[in-house]
Structure formats: structure tokens, C-alpha cells
Amino acid sequence: MLTENACLSKSKNVPWRIIEGEAILVNVNSSDIVHLNETGAEIWRIIDGKTSISKIIEHISSVFEVNKEVAKTDVLELLEDLIEKNILETSSFK
Amino acid sequence: MTKTVKIKIADVCFEISLNDIKIRSLKKDLIFWTKRRFKDFLSKERGGFFIDVEEGYAIDKWEDIRDVKLVGDKNNSRFTLRLNGSEIGFIDTRTNKANIKMGAWRSNDKVFLLSSFLEASLQLALIQNSGFLVHSCGVVKEKTGYLFLAPAEGGKTTVAHKSRKFRVLSDDCNALKREGNDWFIYPTPWGRLPNGKVEKVRLAKIFFLKKAKYLEIKELSFGNSLIRFFSQIHMSGIIERTDLAEKILEEIENLARNLRFFELSFSKKSRIWEAIGNK
């Protein structure tokens, strides 16, 4: 279960691109390709191993002008999915 | 007696050596069938990629050679070819050398295996030279190349039939290569090559095929195009290497920036070229 003070890192085995607001991630471990829409791509972009999940939620709420609860649900759902696919790694807890 | 077969596909020259096959009749048989299989691609140019074919794979039970798998190693340039867990060959992308051991299979099976091995070797050679093999039907209309992508049974051969008045490249697998920001299609020996011409042609548009009861062409977004394109690249064993996956991504990104991608929904009765003409 993710907590909002956790920080996440991108896996080194995931080549990726963000172009025209959308992201493509290649999961080398499972030979899968993941396509992220504009919101997902923005979440992916700001994951750097230092930014906490709560900061990501605030950022998404602000950029896409949605209330914090909606942003929280969307962010956590995506992050949990990407962790399950070994695309994201939990790097530390603040 | 000729001991090598030289083949050129998408400007990659292969030199297939059969020196290590000791039984003269087997060597003769394999050379004959290999030359016949790749007749449109035979070349006199010296190879840049060397494949040694040997005898020596011992079989102790019936095996289906279609179970052969290419396995990439994350830590080095070597890919191994495995059949039911046994190594029967390798491809080294650093030295451009490959080796395959043949078992006592029928000639058809040997040539099938050699063909699959050549396809994997070509894919690896292309990836390092700004290109890749893609499941597609290629068509040349008025010196312009069109590429139609689909998985097996996805409509590529139907498009080839509908394009008979133009020059059809391979109806199943074509090579793409970048020169600067221009992309070129090359036919390959995989799939039917109706007129035997193997020259490259400049690529203009890419269509993803969708079988439907109606005719419709719609332009696709970058992300949608990229993910669909990625899934049609011959990837067995290759995507496990982060560096190669990164390289492919880089090239597809260039492709998506320089060309337009469409979804072509069509039925057997659709007059696709009339619709394509308007795009």
C-alpha cells in the first residue's frame, strides 16, 4: 500500500519518451509497452526519486485543475499499476 | 563447389558459409534450397554479416523447429538461439558473426530454420543501422511508398490484392531504414514478392489496418501511432535488451515526427486506393 510520503524512481530498464504530451514506456522486463495519456505522462515526467507522492498529487491537481481527491485517486491508481509492472520503484520514505 | 551463399537484404550483405558441413550431398542440398529460397536477394557483394552453418546438433527426440527461440542477454552483445533449452546457435551484434548448428532435419526444415535465423540476424543488424523489420505490406504508387501494418490475418495480403495495379513489395514483412529524416522501405524475402524487384522506395504514409464493414481513414495521434507501430516490429528476444529497445524507440520517434499515421478501416469490397488518394 502506497503512502503519500513515499518517493518513487523510474526503473532503469524502462526506455521512455514523452512527445506531444503522451508517454510511451517500454518495459524491458516483461516486453510490454505502456502508453500514458496526458495526465499519466505528467505524473511520469515529475517522478525523480525525490518528489513525494503528496507533491505529485498537488502538482496534478494544480496543472489539470481538478480537486485534490480526484487527483489523489488518479495518481495512486497509476502509480500502483506501474509499481506492479516493475516500471516504478519505491526509492525512499520521507 | 560453392561453399558460401551471399544474400543482400535492405543493404545488409550476409555471407552464409557452409564450409563446416562435411557431408557433400547435404551441403549441395542446402545450398540449392537456400539459393532457391532467396533467389531475388542473391548478391555478389562481400558480406558484412557472417553466418556459419554447421552440422552437429544431436537430436534424441522429435522436435518442432518452430519452437526455436532467440534469447537476448542483458549484459553482452550475444544472442543465443535455443531449441527446447539447448543452444543451437548464436548471433553476436558486436562482431556481426553468427553460427547455427543444424540437426538431421529435412531440407525444408533446415531452410526454414536458416530463414528464421537470417530474419533475426537482419533485425539486429538493422536496429544498429537506423532501421527495423516490421509486419507490413508495402506498396509503391507513383514512386511513393505506402506501408500497411497489421498482425497475422490482419488484412495485409488483402491490401496486396487490392494494390495489384501498383508495385507491391513484400506482403508480410518489410524493412524500414532511415537516411537523415527520410525513411525508405525495402522488400524482404519474408512474404510474397510479386515482381521480384528489391529496390528501396521512399516511404510517405503509414496505415494501420482494421477489418471492418465500412471504409474509413482517420489520422492517429503520436502516442497511439507509436504504441501500435512498436507492437508490429519483429521483437523476439530483442526487447529484453534495454539499449536496443532504446534505439528502436529513438527511431520510431523520428518516424512519427516525420510521417503521418492513419487507421484504415476496410472491408473486402472497399476501394481503398480511392480513399487513400484523398489523404
Side-chain angles (χ1 to χ4, degrees):
Chain A
M1 180 85 182
L2 278 177
T3 56
E4 288 185 37
N5 59 355
C7 296
L8 299 168
S9 305
K10 297 175 178 108
S11 165
K12 286 175 186 161
N13 287 332
V14 181
W16 57 275
R17 288 287 185 286
I18 296 178
I19 299 171
E20 294 174 11
E22 298 173 78
I24 299 293
L25 323 177
V26 182
N27 189 354
V28 173
N29 298 317
S30 63
S31 304
D32 282 339
I33 305 155
V34 178
H35 177 205
L36 302 181
N37 63 15
E38 205 178 343
T39 313
E42 184 59 18
I43 295 168
W44 178 258
R45 190 185 67 76
I46 61 170
I47 290 171
D48 58 1
K50 297 171 194 163
T51 307
S52 67
I53 293 174
S54 61
K55 292 271 185 212
I56 296 173
I57 293 168
E58 274 174 36
H59 177 78
I60 293 299
S61 168
S62 155
V63 170
F64 294 96
E65 296 176 353
V66 290
N67 75 53
K68 217 171 158 186
E69 278 311 302
V70 173
K72 182 179 172 183
T73 307
D74 290 350
V75 168
L76 289 179
E77 193 178 315
L78 178 70
L79 296 181
E80 279 167 4
D81 184 42
L82 296 182
I83 288 170
E84 198 177 305
K85 289 175 175 160
N86 294 319
I87 289 174
L88 283 178
E89 295 159 1
T90 310
S91 58
S92 65
F93 294 89
K94 282 190 172 175
Chain B
M1 183 183 178
T2 311
K3 293 169 185 171
T4 60
V5 179
K6 292 174 183 171
I7 294 168
K8 184 178 175 183
I9 311 166
D11 286 342
V12 180
C13 297
F14 291 94
E15 202 163 311
I16 301 170
S17 165
L18 297 114
N19 285 332
D20 292 322
I21 295 188
K22 301 286 183 278
I23 302 170
R24 195 179 161 86
S25 60
L26 278 183
K27 189 189 290 190
K28 195 175 168 186
D29 195 41
L30 195 52
I31 287 172
F32 173 80
W33 286 107
T34 303
K35 283 187 169 177
R36 187 169 159 159
R37 170 71 182 82
F38 299 106
K39 62 182 169 61
D40 294 315
F41 296 86
L42 295 175
S43 167
K44 290 181 178 168
E45 289 183 43
R46 184 166 162 68
F49 203 108
F50 298 87
I51 299 176
D52 281 325
V53 181
E54 293 177 25
E55 289 166 85
Y57 173 61
I59 304 170
D60 51 12
K61 60 181 187 303
W62 184 86
E63 287 168 319
D64 188 341
I65 60 160
R66 286 170 297 185
D67 291 338
V68 165
K69 288 188 172 61
L70 188 69
V71 182
D73 186 327
K74 284 174 185 163
N75 302 315
N76 66 40
S77 58
R78 199 175 153 112
F79 288 78
T80 54
L81 197 67
R82 294 186 172 275
L83 177 57
N84 295 332
S86 303
E87 181 176 330
I88 63 164
F90 71 82
I91 301 169
D92 192 317
T93 55
R94 188 178 57 80
T95 59
N96 282 347
K97 286 187 177 168
N99 173 288
I100 184 165
K101 290 183 179 63
M102 294 285 178
W105 300 303
R106 294 172 305 168
S107 294
N108 279 354
D109 287 344
K110 285 179 186 166
V111 175
F112 173 84
L113 184 59
L114 185 58
S115 174
S116 303
F117 192 61
L118 192 64
E119 192 178 354
S121 302
L122 178 61
Q123 179 65 294
L124 290 167
L126 285 172
I127 289 169
Q128 294 174 92
N129 289 286
S130 307
F132 31 73
L133 291 172
V134 60
H135 293 287
S136 59
C137 170
V139 179
V140 185
K141 183 190 171 200
E142 293 159 8
K143 296 183 181 173
T144 302
Y146 296 81
L147 204 64
F148 300 87
L149 279 73
E153 306 296 320
K156 297 188 292 294
T157 302
T158 307
V159 167
H161 284 301
K162 288 176 179 290
S163 309
R164 276 175 294 192
K165 61 181 175 181
F166 310 119
R167 180 183 151 208
V168 177
L169 305 174
S170 170
D171 68 352
D172 190 53
C173 172
N174 292 276
L176 289 189
K177 273 179 91 173
R178 179 174 63 78
E179 292 176 24
N181 284 328
D182 291 328
W183 284 85
F184 292 87
I185 321 176
Y186 295 74
T188 73
W190 300 285
R192 285 191 304 162
L193 183 69
N195 61 13
K197 286 187 182 172
V198 296
E199 296 93 355
K200 68 179 179 184
V201 62
R202 191 187 297 270
L203 174 61
K205 287 176 186 148
I206 296 175
F207 296 85
F208 295 97
L209 299 177
K210 182 180 170 187
K211 287 182 176 176
K213 290 182 177 169
Y214 53 90
L215 176 62
E216 183 185 64
I217 297 181
K218 63 179 181 188
E219 191 153 6
L220 296 171
S221 72
F222 166 80
N224 204 324
S225 307
L226 209 150
I227 199 162
R228 287 196 198 192
F229 196 93
F230 215 103
S231 63
Q232 295 308 323
I233 295 181
H234 294 228
M235 284 291 201
S236 174
I238 292 169
I239 200 171
E240 294 154 23
R241 284 265 304 272
T242 310
D243 58 336
L244 296 183
E246 175 66 47
K247 181 86 179 128
I248 293 170
L249 201 50
E250 188 182 317
E251 295 300 346
I252 300 178
E253 183 185 342
N254 181 290
L255 190 69
R257 283 187 186 283
N258 289 291
L259 291 168
R260 292 168 72 194
F261 290 72
F262 301 89
E263 181 179 80
L264 168 60
S265 304
F266 73 107
S267 71
K268 282 191 174 174
K269 290 180 181 172
S270 298
R271 302 172 85 157
I272 60 168
W273 284 102
E274 285 180 13
I276 290 169
N278 299 325
K279 290 287 168 188

